[in-house]
Amino acid sequence: MKKRIELIACVGNYKKLSLFSTVEEMNQTVREYKDAIKLSVKRSDVQARLISLLELLKRHSCKYIGVSFMCKNTIADMLAVSYKTIQRLTKKLEALDMIKQYEMKRHTNMNQTANAIVILPLKKEMTDKNTHLEAKKCPTKTTTPSLKQNINNKRNDVPVSQNKVVKSFSKADFIAHWVPERFADLTSCYYNESQTIQELWKVVKQCNRVVNYATSERAFTSQQELNIGIRAFKEFVMKVKDNKKMQNKFGYFNGIVNNLMDKLYFDQDFLESF
């Protein structure tokens, strides 16, 4: 007997299914999963397809962080494989505890619609959180007097001047060296915090997906990537000026970059101009 579908495809349920607090947290998890796939899956063609699918799900999981709701036919078209292949790949990722699928139904007619595919957090992270909570509930006294004495001695060894230096370091807010200068100069006109600028550039980097996993070749060169990032941010600024509603600025920027890259990937004039 077929199981009854309980979840309705709506914003509220997509938000409830999200298990990440930031896009960077999701990105880090996906990076860990890619490494795990390379170690656990022997066939190179299956490896490449699983990684491509995971990358695609990540790119379309920024609005509700970690949750995508594309139908499998769309995914199959984007990865240039069959519907059955996508079914097998998603089942494999589920077996590896990297994703979970939820059957959904439309709120209009209650008919079945595309599954919500949720990227799961790392199990290690969940274990660490549980261990941390248990430690709070059941504290144990393990510090001996000699250990306390050693700790105090180390504290006393720190010069007073060093404390002043540490305080001055805490005020520093430099942009990381891996953010291109042109992109940093443009975005710093609108955002003061280096963390925000770095997150925006990470969005550009993650959207420039790998097209050949054997050579790690990406869809665009570094110069093309920079040009797209600048164009995308200018479009993002115009959307903000038009008071466009955004639940997550990084997710919205991710959509702009994705659309621009999908368009320019087939633009021969653009590709030959760099």
Side-chain angles (χ1 to χ4, degrees):
M1 184 176 177
K2 189 175 179 180
K3 186 179 177 181
R4 182 181 176 184
I5 301 174
E6 299 292 341
L7 289 175
I8 296 174
C10 63
V11 173
N13 282 330
Y14 290 139
K15 286 182 177 179
K16 288 178 183 177
L17 292 174
S18 177
L19 301 174
F20 296 98
S21 55
T22 64
V23 173
E24 177 53 31
E25 185 183 347
M26 175 186 68
N27 292 342
Q28 180 59 38
T29 297
V30 171
R31 286 193 285 269
E32 296 280 349
Y33 284 159
K34 287 180 184 178
D35 293 338
I37 289 170
K38 291 175 184 176
L39 293 173
S40 61
V41 179
K42 294 181 179 179
R43 285 181 52 178
S44 58
D45 58 332
V46 177
Q47 267 188 32
R49 286 180 175 178
L50 285 171
I51 290 173
S52 296
L53 174 58
L54 198 57
E55 184 69 25
L56 182 66
L57 293 174
K58 181 194 75 174
R59 288 175 55 208
H60 290 80
S61 299
C62 292
K63 187 173 183 180
Y64 311 104
I65 304 175
V67 182
S68 59
F69 40 88
M70 291 185 295
C71 67
K72 288 187 172 65
N73 280 323
T74 301
I75 297 174
D77 290 341
M78 295 179 77
L79 295 180
V81 296
S82 68
Y83 175 84
K84 290 289 185 183
T85 299
I86 296 301
Q87 280 189 316
R88 288 194 296 270
L89 292 175
T90 49
K91 285 181 180 178
K92 179 64 176 176
L93 288 177
E94 276 194 300
L96 292 170
D97 288 329
M98 295 179 181
I99 67 168
K100 185 172 178 61
Q101 299 186 82
Y102 294 89
E103 291 185 333
M104 311 290 284
K105 58 185 178 181
R106 298 186 186 90
H107 69 279
T108 52
N109 53 17
M110 295 301 163
N111 289 337
Q112 187 172 2
T113 186
N115 290 350
I117 303 178
V118 179
I119 299 174
L120 301 176
L122 291 165
K123 280 188 172 181
K124 183 180 178 181
E125 291 180 357
M126 299 300 290
T127 305
D128 289 344
K129 287 178 182 178
N130 292 337
T131 305
H132 182 65
L133 289 173
E134 289 174 3
K136 281 189 174 182
K137 290 179 181 177
C138 305
T140 55
K141 187 176 180 180
T142 56
T143 306
T144 62
S146 59
L147 181 59
K148 285 182 179 179
Q149 187 177 357
N150 289 337
I151 293 171
N152 290 331
N153 288 337
K154 288 181 180 178
R155 287 177 180 172
N156 293 332
D157 289 340
V158 179
V160 177
S161 58
Q162 186 174 337
N163 292 333
K164 293 181 179 179
V165 173
V166 170
K167 286 181 180 179
S168 64
F169 279 1
S170 65
K171 298 176 183 177
D173 190 28
F174 302 113
I175 300 171
H177 68 279
W178 41 263
V179 179
E181 189 174 348
R182 282 182 60 197
F183 187 84
D185 288 344
L186 175 63
T187 51
S188 60
C189 296
Y190 302 91
Y191 292 105
N192 295 323
E193 295 183 358
S194 62
Q195 185 65 32
T196 302
I197 295 170
Q198 288 162 194
E199 286 297 325
L200 288 168
W201 180 246
K202 284 178 184 178
V203 169
V204 178
K205 293 293 291 183
Q206 75 181 26
C207 289
N208 188 11
R209 60 188 180 277
V210 176
V211 292
N212 187 335
Y213 286 96
T215 61
S216 298
E217 180 188 357
R218 294 186 177 271
F220 299 96
T221 65
S222 57
Q223 286 299 315
Q224 292 167 347
E225 180 183 75
L226 174 58
N227 184 274
I228 291 170
I230 290 172
R231 288 170 64 172
F233 186 75
K234 288 179 179 178
E235 184 178 338
F236 174 78
V237 170
M238 297 308 296
K239 296 293 184 183
V240 174
K241 287 179 68 176
D242 291 339
N243 294 320
K244 190 74 175 179
K245 290 183 179 179
M246 301 178 189
Q247 291 183 342
N248 182 310
K249 62 175 175 285
F250 299 114
Y252 194 89
F253 183 62
N254 183 88
I256 294 175
V257 177
N258 265 333
N259 291 335
L260 198 53
M261 285 189 173
D262 288 343
K263 176 184 176 182
L264 294 176
Y265 186 70
F266 300 100
D267 188 333
Q268 200 61 33
D269 292 336
F270 172 79
L271 297 175
E272 291 177 355
S273 61
F274 292 92

